[in-house]
């Protein structure tokens, strides 16, 4: 136990597996104690069939929460032992149904005392503990059904890495990164257009001198994301040229850039933010919705790739 105390929660799966292995080993000895020739891993399938109803493998798998291949393998093993038999269904001859054989029924009769004693032993053991393991397991199963451990770790990773992101104003030293980030992003899904080259080759003249802004996202000092606010005639801004380096995906850079852009527009007294995008970019569209943008019908776009226009009303 010193190892698990040292490594802590990172070994949750290993510790549960250790407990499972211990209980499985003792379960085999308990079956032997009662003269029941049954493998512990067969028990869920055996118990379902011991109710006396014929069941398909799919039905058994759904009830006990195992995969279809796992249940199929167990049924084959039990069939070789002579404990189950398969037959065509009475109502649907296309399906194979599994039932206990006479040998399986004999095991069912012998195992009743074992059920009684094991149930009492577990109850008494739980009375000696501070925490109810059974309820805790049910709670953990429910939590992981709502959100997997993998998803929870991914969220924690994103949260930790996002703390290393710094949003700064564009400077001349960022010119190459601003262009490269956008060229990479655009070329991945579409093709460069004349309007792109105007902004990327001359950001100072095309964006900054006209009252716009460019934001850069630095991760560990490296420029890995960017977006621009292009001044519009009505006093609002167009959110444009947002791009994140492929290797920086999953660090919330797009989200942080979006929030920073909204705050910059608000600080400048803008009443709205406008953007143009394409619906094949589902993660980007989802991000814009999350930031509060809504679809609108705007003026014709100078970009061939644009098929959706969105707007965010800003309260100052």
């Amino acid at each position: 136990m010193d190892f698990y105390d040292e490594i802590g929660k990172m070994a949750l799966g290993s510790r549960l597996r250790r407990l499972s292995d211990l209980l499985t080993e003792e379960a085999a000895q308990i079956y032997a104690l009662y003269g029941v020739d049954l493998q512990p891993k067969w028990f869920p399938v055996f118990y379902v069939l011991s109710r006396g109803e014929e069941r398909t493998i799919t039905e058994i798998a759904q009830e006990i929460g195992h995969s279809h291949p796992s249940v199929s393998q167990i049924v084959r093993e039990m069939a070789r032992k002579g404990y189950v038999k398969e037959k065509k269904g009475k109502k649907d001859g296309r399906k194979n149904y599994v039932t206990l054989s006479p040998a399986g029924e004999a095991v069912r009769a012998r195992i009743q005392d074992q059920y009684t004693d094991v149930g009492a032993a577990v109850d008494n053991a739980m009375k000696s503990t501070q925490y109810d393991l059974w309820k805790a397991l049910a709670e953990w199963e429910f939590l992981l059904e709502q959100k997997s451990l993998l998803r929870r770790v991914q969220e924690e990773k994103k949260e930790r890495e996002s703390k290393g992101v710094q949003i700064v104003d564009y400077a001349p030293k960022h010119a190459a990164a601003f262009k490269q980030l956008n060229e990479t992003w655009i070329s991945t899904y579409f093709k460069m257009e004349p309007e792109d080259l105007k902004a990327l080759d001359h950001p100072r003249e095309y964006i900054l001198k006209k009252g716009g802004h460019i934001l850069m996202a630095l991760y560990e000092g490296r420029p890995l994301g960017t977006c621009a606010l292009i001044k519009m005639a009505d006093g609002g801004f167009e959110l444009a040229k947002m791009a994140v380096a492929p290797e920086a995906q999953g660090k919330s850079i797009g989200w942080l850039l979006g929030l920073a852009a909204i705050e910059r527009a608000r600080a400048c007294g803008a009443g709205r933010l406008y953007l143009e995008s394409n619906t094949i970019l589902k993660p980007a569209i989802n991000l814009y919705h999350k930031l509060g943008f809504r679809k609108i019908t705007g003026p014709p776009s100078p970009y061939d790739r644009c098929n959706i226009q969105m707007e965010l009303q800003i309260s100052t």
Side-chain angles (χ1 to χ4, degrees):
M1 292 305 298
D2 291 342
F3 168 77
Y4 293 103
D5 289 337
E6 177 184 343
I7 199 169
K9 299 177 181 67
M10 290 186 293
L12 175 63
S14 297
R15 188 163 184 177
L16 288 173
R17 187 160 51 249
R18 178 181 180 274
L19 178 60
S20 174
D21 290 344
L22 176 63
L23 292 175
T24 300
E25 180 181 341
E26 294 211 347
Q29 298 176 32
I30 291 170
Y31 284 122
L33 179 65
Y34 288 84
V36 173
D37 189 7
L38 199 70
Q39 291 188 32
K41 70 175 181 177
W42 295 352
F43 178 72
V45 175
F46 174 82
Y47 187 83
V48 169
L49 295 176
S50 68
R51 295 171 181 164
E53 300 176 3
E54 59 181 22
R55 308 293 293 274
T56 66
I57 289 177
T58 298
E59 290 171 342
I60 297 171
Q62 290 174 343
E63 182 165 352
I64 68 176
H66 286 200
S67 67
H68 189 283
S70 172
V71 173
S72 181
Q73 175 64 28
I74 290 173
V75 168
R76 286 197 296 270
E77 292 175 4
M78 293 177 69
R80 286 197 293 269
K81 191 69 177 178
Y83 287 167
V84 300
K85 57 185 179 180
E86 294 186 74
K87 62 179 181 179
K88 297 293 183 181
K90 295 178 181 178
K91 296 182 179 179
D92 188 346
R94 295 170 300 178
K95 295 182 178 180
N96 286 335
Y97 287 82
V98 184
T99 59
L100 289 181
S101 66
E105 290 291 348
V107 172
R108 185 180 68 83
R110 288 200 304 275
I111 205 171
Q112 296 307 310
D113 288 341
Q114 180 178 331
Y115 285 169
T116 301
D117 296 344
V118 169
V122 172
D123 284 342
N124 287 330
M126 286 189 172
K127 290 176 183 177
S128 303
T129 63
Q130 182 178 356
Y131 306 105
D132 190 318
L133 176 61
W134 196 252
K135 290 182 179 179
L137 288 172
E139 187 174 20
W140 266 88
E141 288 171 344
F142 174 79
L143 287 173
L144 295 180
E145 285 175 1
Q146 303 307 303
K147 185 189 295 185
S148 71
L149 182 59
L150 172 61
R151 181 59 180 165
R152 293 171 188 272
V153 172
Q154 288 172 331
E155 291 177 354
E156 293 296 331
K157 179 176 183 288
K158 179 180 287 189
E159 175 66 20
R160 174 180 55 79
E161 292 182 337
S162 69
K163 293 177 181 178
V165 178
Q166 182 183 11
I167 308 298
V168 301
D169 284 320
Y170 171 90
K173 65 181 179 180
H174 298 134
F178 176 64
K179 182 175 182 178
Q180 183 60 50
L181 286 166
N182 274 282
E183 282 188 340
T184 299
W185 178 85
I186 295 169
S187 300
T188 298
Y189 300 98
F190 309 102
K191 64 179 181 179
M192 295 289 290
E193 299 182 41
E195 288 296 316
D196 293 314
L197 297 175
K198 289 180 184 179
L200 299 181
D201 287 334
H202 308 285
R204 181 174 178 80
E205 292 76 10
Y206 190 78
I207 300 173
L208 300 178
K209 281 189 174 182
K210 294 181 178 180
H213 305 268
I214 299 175
L215 302 175
M216 303 297 297
L218 309 182
Y219 182 71
E220 297 180 347
R222 296 174 56 208
L224 296 180
T226 187
C227 72
L229 290 169
I230 299 175
K231 189 74 172 182
M232 300 176 69
D234 63 2
F237 287 100
E238 178 184 353
L239 178 62
K241 299 296 175 276
M242 179 179 280
V244 176
E247 67 270 24
Q249 301 293 331
K251 291 179 172 55
S252 297
I253 289 179
W255 170 252
L256 295 172
L257 280 168
L259 290 178
I262 293 170
E263 287 307 309
R264 179 61 59 87
R266 180 180 286 115
C268 292
R272 69 172 185 136
L273 266 179
Y274 166 84
L275 66 83
E276 299 177 342
S277 189
N278 190 291
T279 51
I280 69 169
L281 305 172
K282 295 188 183 300
I285 300 300
N286 289 337
L287 171 64
Y288 299 142
H289 277 296
K290 188 177 178 182
L291 288 167
F293 285 84
R294 296 294 178 263
K295 183 182 181 304
I296 63 168
T297 300
S301 171
Y303 294 98
D304 290 338
R305 62 178 177 267
C306 171
N307 72 353
I308 185 172
Q309 297 161 312
M310 304 181 77
E311 180 182 79
L312 171 66
Q313 293 293 329
I314 300 176
S315 58
T316 56

